[in-house]
Amino acid sequence: MSASSDPNMLAKAEVLIEALPYFQRYAGRTFVVKYGGHAMGDPEAARDFAEDIVLLKAVGINPVVVHGGGPQIGEMLKKLGVESTFVDGLRVTDKATAEVAEMVLSGAINKQLVGWIAGAGGKAIGISGKDGGLVTARKVSRTTRDPDSNIEQAVDLGFVGEPETVDTAIIDTAVAAGMIPIIAPIGAGADGHTYNINADTMAGAIAAALGAARLFLLTDVTGVLDKQGQLMTDLTPADIARLREDGTISGGMIPKLETCVKAVESGCEAAVVLDGRVPHAMLLEFFTARGAGTLVRA
């Protein structure tokens, strides 16, 4: 059988033709990808992810990766005998915990990701928000309501921060040199302290500052589901507000969608919530007409 009559070869050619308009439209644009969840602990999923990122770079798109690492931080704290305390499910990050978080995020996980990219044939550089003044952080303030008195009280989460300003110079330099930036969610505050930053929040702030074409949040869920359990593929900020009010959106999906909304209202073209456990989910979402997650755009 010749290649021209082989159904498998023809199917592969059709996939490339389907992807061509997307290659052309987004050549030279930036995709910010937040990588985290249980997919980080799966070697096969990690290889798939690295291949996807290298493919994006090969077709002229500039991927920027921001990674999480909560479970790995928890494991290291346990190994070192550092006790953790939680308030409303949020870890209180004291000085010892902050030092461990920076060691795990900027060290082990960051360099592991750089190695995966290299193994897939790409060139990556591992940095954190502290490098080149990328992210200046401010201390996060949270409140909780006392169950007995119903009085709202301030909660000190320690060295937990959020991006206050983003200077993309170091990313621009790395991209111009043909590198793929791999960013740990750590930032320095104006007060000189080091802050641990939620990876979704960090990725959203960087996507907005870069004017990214896409922000991908790779998670452990399919996307946003309606009350019948069906995937909702396209949402606007107004849709999200309505779905949150009627209870369709709840729990951990709320902060993720808040990140998406803030990003698209601050300069990012669109944001997507995707199941990072699905092989090549990012490519399926972007390079096919079918999509694979929930896309949010203003």
Side-chain angles (χ1 to χ4, degrees), residues 137-140 158-162 185-197:
R138 62 171 169 254
K139 184 180 176 71
V140 164
F159 297 100
V160 176
E162 59 189 4
I186 298 289
D191 56 8
H193 293 303
T194 296
Y195 289 94
N196 188 16
I197 301 171

Side-chain angles (χ1 to χ4, degrees), residues 6-210:
D6 184 344
N8 290 328
M9 295 297 290
L10 290 172
K12 290 178 181 178
E14 288 294 333
V15 169
L16 290 173
I17 293 300
E18 185 178 359
L20 179 59
Y22 303 98
F23 293 159
Q24 293 171 323
R25 180 178 177 185
Y26 292 100
R29 300 293 304 278
T30 298
F31 287 2
V32 175
V33 184
K34 183 267 178 170
Y35 183 54
H38 290 93
M40 288 185 69
D42 182 340
E44 187 173 345
R47 282 192 296 271
D48 288 345
F49 173 76
E51 289 169 355
D52 291 355
I53 294 297
V54 172
L55 176 60
L56 290 176
K57 189 69 173 177
V59 300
I61 294 167
N62 297 314
V64 174
V65 179
V66 179
H67 63 82
Q72 293 89 334
I73 293 171
E75 288 174 13
M76 183 58 71
L77 289 170
K78 190 174 180 180
K79 284 181 183 178
L80 296 175
V82 179
E83 293 291 332
S84 294
T85 57
F86 294 83
V87 177
D88 290 344
L90 298 171
R91 189 194 306 274
V92 176
T93 304
D94 59 15
K95 190 168 180 59
T97 302
E99 289 173 352
V100 172
E102 183 170 17
M103 175 181 69
V104 173
L105 292 168
S106 298
I109 296 176
N110 191 271
K111 301 314 172 190
Q112 186 179 52
L113 270 167
V114 169
W116 288 340
I117 299 293
K123 289 184 178 180
I125 181 169
I127 59 176
S128 78
K130 293 171 72 174
D131 294 300
L134 173 57
V135 172
T136 300
R138 62 171 169 254
K139 184 180 176 71
V140 164
S141 59
R142 290 286 186 271
T143 59
T144 187
R145 194 171 294 278
D146 185 274
D148 298 323
S149 65
N150 203 34
I151 296 173
E152 204 166 49
Q153 300 173 329
V155 176
D156 186 356
L157 295 174
F159 297 100
V160 176
E162 59 189 4
E164 183 170 38
T165 63
V166 179
D167 180 346
T168 64
I170 191 170
I171 295 177
D172 298 336
T173 300
V175 169
M179 302 285 185
I180 300 169
I182 310 295
I183 304 169
I186 298 289
D191 56 8
H193 293 303
T194 296
Y195 289 94
N196 188 16
I197 301 171
N198 176 274
D200 288 348
T201 305
M202 182 95 153
I206 289 173
L210 289 168

